[in-house]
Amino acid sequence: MYPGAMFVMKKGSVAAKNWKDIVMGKTGFNRRSFLGAGGATLAFPMLSSGVFAAGSVDIRAVWWGGDERGRRTNAAIKAFMNANPGISVEAETMGWDDYWARLATQVAGGNAPDFIQMDYRYMAEYARRGAIRPLDNYLGNELQIEDFGAANLESCSVDGKLYGGNVGVNSFGVFAAKCAAFAAASPDGKFAATADGSGSESLFEGWLRGKGKALYTADGELAYGADDAAEWFAYWAEMRASGACLRPDIQALYKNTIETSPLVNG
């Protein structure tokens, strides 16, 4: 299982500095409030009504995703600001390919957003650089998300410290024989049962784990060998040859966005 996405607070943000004021008492943050907003807006329930009554506060939030995620997130932000007139949320969204370069630039320039959508691949880097805030002191008190499950909380942790809350998990699996049978039964070969996953780190990791291996060791070194990589790419070469996955020219159109997804485009 892999965390689909998670949210973290930057270290030193307005939200982080005022954390106890934000979530004390009736403003506790739990699984229901975390999941209630849906999608990528799940950091905002941390900010509750009447917290900054002494003056207005600007909060910046950033996430990646397609148009539909943006529409839903912005609608939730608008509802939140209507309920909290002292707080203004400046939202920024972009596609996956642009997201990480822009976020890295903002963090390096001291202009990081207050709430950041994070991917598990990048969390350790940001945590160890001190760019995001550990949340352990609030877990079980103001932050009541233990029922997310130990494995999910661990996926949002670095060096034993909790840095975020994941908004979902994904699991991956590919069955070559089933996909080949689907292709054989598909009229005119128009449809494929799966995308070409040969370039997907997550799929490769899942495949390795099925063999009792992993991508990395606990020390961050490679935990697989050249023979494993060769077997993986041979697997997908056979998939392409049998028509079990998308043709390369179709796969190349996918740019890691909803709008370019082969599923969305039929």
Side-chain angles (χ1 to χ4, degrees), residues 194-223:
T194 182
D196 185 335
S198 57
S200 169
E201 180 192 53
S202 295
L203 280 177
F204 183 44
E205 182 176 11
W207 181 80
L208 285 171
R209 288 188 178 277
K211 294 164 61 68
K213 300 184 179 182
L215 272 178
Y216 305 107
T217 68
D219 298 326
E221 302 296 329
L222 288 180

Side-chain angles (χ1 to χ4, degrees), residues 43-69:
F44 299 117
M46 292 181 183
L47 305 176
S48 58
S49 179
V51 169
F52 299 109
S56 62
V57 171
D58 295 327
I59 299 294
R60 292 178 57 229
V62 63
W63 70 92
W64 72 79
D67 292 341
E68 180 60 18
R69 171 179 279 182

Side-chain angles (χ1 to χ4, degrees), residues 5-28:
M6 61 190 78
F7 274 86
V8 296
M9 293 193 305
K10 79 171 183 183
K11 190 172 183 179
S13 69
V14 171
K17 290 176 181 176
N18 293 279
W19 176 263
K20 287 192 175 181
D21 293 331
I22 292 168
V23 297
M24 287 294 287
K26 295 181 180 180
T27 65

Side-chain angles (χ1 to χ4, degrees), residues 84-101:
N84 298 272
I87 305 173
S88 175
V89 179
E90 177 185 347
E92 184 178 3
T93 182
M94 63 212 74
W96 170 272
D97 288 345
D98 297 325
Y99 181 85
W100 297 104

Side-chain angles (χ1 to χ4, degrees), residues 27-128:
T27 65
F29 188 45
N30 54 34
R31 181 178 176 86
R32 178 172 294 181
S33 63
F34 193 79
L35 297 176
T41 63
L42 303 181
F44 299 117
M46 292 181 183
L47 305 176
S48 58
S49 179
V51 169
F52 299 109
S56 62
V57 171
D58 295 327
I59 299 294
R60 292 178 57 229
V62 63
W63 70 92
W64 72 79
D67 292 341
E68 180 60 18
R69 171 179 279 182
R71 183 187 69 79
R72 291 172 180 264
T73 303
N74 284 315
I77 289 173
K78 182 178 180 180
F80 169 80
M81 289 193 295
N82 287 340
N84 298 272
I87 305 173
S88 175
V89 179
E90 177 185 347
E92 184 178 3
T93 182
M94 63 212 74
W96 170 272
D97 288 345
D98 297 325
Y99 181 85
W100 297 104
R102 189 176 301 183
L103 178 60
T105 299
Q106 292 181 356
V107 171
N111 189 37
D114 297 290
F115 291 97
I116 303 169
Q117 187 180 9
M118 182 59 59
D119 184 86
Y120 77 103
R121 298 171 182 85
Y122 296 87
M123 175 160 280
E125 175 188 356
Y126 280 83
R128 289 169 180 162

Side-chain angles (χ1 to χ4, degrees), residues 215-238:
L215 272 178
Y216 305 107
T217 68
D219 298 326
E221 302 296 329
L222 288 180
Y224 64 93
D227 290 346
D228 298 308
E231 185 180 351
W232 169 253
F233 288 116
Y235 174 94
W236 283 100
E238 293 176 7

